[in-house]
Amino acid sequence: MPARKLVHFFATGFYSGLVPVMPGTAGTLVAIPLFLVISLFFSLFGYIVFTICFIFFSIWISGIAETQAKRKDPREIVIDEMAGFLVAMTALPPRFTYIAAGFVLFRLFDILKPFPIGIIDKKLAGGKGIVLDDIVAGIYAHIAVQAGSRLISGVL
């Protein structure tokens, strides 16, 4: 496969970003099986190392894909959603309730872009601008899932 097609394949989240409606949501859905595989076969340390490497790969591949597309942050680039979801799910068990909560909260923060996500999205260029806002959305989602889990555990 030529390099340009490989970039497109990875940047679009294995082509999930090519769906006509809600490509970011489609990219996040593709991240779920990736999360399950990583969390089931790696220790927490391995998960964190994989996720950090995936973030750097996402920044690199998104920057190339953006240049190839000749427009800023194209909708079809969804590897950033995949990276953000992996951050959101760090150290969380691979159970349906956590995955569902992480998915919904990550998408919510990614769409609403509360401070400083919106600023990161607007001010940073290239692959960094594409990916880092999703990483912060993932951090927010992770904190919200952890807080919700602790709250529910304390109440029940």
Side-chain angles (χ1 to χ4, degrees):
M1 187 180 291
R4 185 176 178 86
K5 288 188 179 193
L6 271 175
V7 166
H8 190 53
F9 175 73
F10 286 117
T12 61
F14 317 119
Y15 301 126
S16 64
L18 301 179
V19 299
V21 180
M22 298 188 303
T25 299
T28 307
L29 285 171
V30 168
I32 293 173
L34 181 60
F35 160 71
L36 290 171
V37 168
I38 299 163
S39 64
L40 293 172
F41 291 103
F42 289 93
S43 65
L44 177 58
F45 178 76
Y47 183 98
I48 291 168
V49 169
F50 179 91
T51 301
I52 290 168
C53 292
F54 193 84
I55 290 167
F56 282 105
F57 176 74
S58 299
I59 290 169
W60 177 69
I61 210 80
S62 295
I64 295 169
E66 182 181 60
T67 300
Q68 288 177 353
K70 296 181 176 125
R71 53 189 157 63
K72 184 176 175 9
D73 197 359
R75 289 179 41 138
E76 66 269 13
I77 296 176
V78 297
I79 195 169
D80 52 326
E81 274 81 11
M82 295 171 69
F85 182 74
L86 291 178
V87 168
M89 298 306 294
T90 301
L92 295 174
R95 294 201 298 257
F96 177 78
T97 51
Y98 286 96
I99 293 168
F103 178 86
V104 169
L105 288 165
F106 170 70
R107 291 304 301 141
L108 186 70
F109 287 122
D110 187 33
I111 291 165
L112 296 178
K113 300 197 183 309
F115 180 82
I117 299 169
I119 294 169
I120 293 167
D121 186 47
K122 287 182 177 70
K123 299 284 183 183
L124 291 180
K128 288 181 198 154
I130 293 170
V131 177
L132 293 180
D133 66 312
D134 292 272
I135 300 308
V136 177
I139 292 168
Y140 282 5
H142 178 81
I143 292 168
V145 171
Q146 288 282 11
S149 174
R150 284 176 177 34
L151 182 66
I152 289 170
S153 294
V155 171
L156 298 178

